[in-house]
Amino acid sequence: EQRPEIWVCVAGRNIPFRKGASEHAETAGKECKVGDKVNAVLDGEWLRVLHVASHLDAAQALGHRSSHGITKMTVEETGTYLPYGVNGKKLFKSYKLYMFEESAKTENDPPACTTKEDGKCSMM
């Protein structure tokens, strides 16, 4: 079984959730907005949306000095799907890739400063 990942909507529009992995499936009555993050598993050309929650495992917490490793993760099916792409264009990116690309953008941008007569940079 695949582990759920966080996916970011990068489409140019809101994407409706579907009740099945098909364009012909009924919509679920809600939309994923541009920039929204969803927990899902890539299943072919569809993202199978999951509800992921973590909580403290009280039984394991007894006797531990730190809370490291005593949280439990639960994964539940939501019964909804989102299309991964349309006509060869990706509508979602994994959060890791999205953050990598965002950090690369800021690293390549010139600093927002102006040089003073003394050669020092003054932030704008």
Side-chain angles (χ1 to χ4, degrees):
E1 171 119 358
Q2 290 179 301
R3 287 187 63 156
E5 290 185 66
I6 299 172
W7 297 86
V8 181
C9 180
V10 294
R13 59 184 170 81
N14 295 347
I15 306 298
F17 286 86
R18 302 256 175 205
K19 292 184 180 180
S22 166
E23 270 305 310
H24 305 293
E26 185 180 340
T27 58
K30 58 183 179 172
E31 293 184 332
C32 186
K33 296 177 179 75
V34 178
D36 279 357
K37 294 179 224 155
V38 294
N39 289 298
V41 171
L42 185 59
D43 192 357
E45 291 298 309
W46 290 85
L47 292 174
R48 185 168 36 99
V49 182
L50 304 167
H51 175 71
V52 178
S54 61
H55 50 87
L56 183 65
D57 186 346
Q60 281 199 330
L62 294 173
H64 278 74
R65 292 184 182 182
S66 75
S67 62
H68 181 70
I70 57 173
T71 57
K72 203 174 199 176
M73 188 168 75
T74 57
V75 178
E76 298 173 7
E77 295 284 338
T78 63
T80 57
Y81 294 81
L82 290 161
Y84 177 63
V86 173
N87 298 327
K89 184 179 179 194
K90 290 182 183 177
L91 302 176
F92 291 86
K93 285 186 182 178
S94 74
Y95 185 68
K96 290 177 187 175
L97 177 61
Y98 177 80
M99 291 306 295
F100 175 76
E101 289 176 350
E102 288 299 307
S103 68
K105 283 182 194 175
T106 57
E107 287 175 9
N108 294 331
D109 290 343
C113 68
T114 57
T115 306
K116 294 181 180 178
E117 290 176 21
D118 60 4
K120 293 182 181 175
C121 184
S122 171
M123 299 305 284
M124 297 187 81

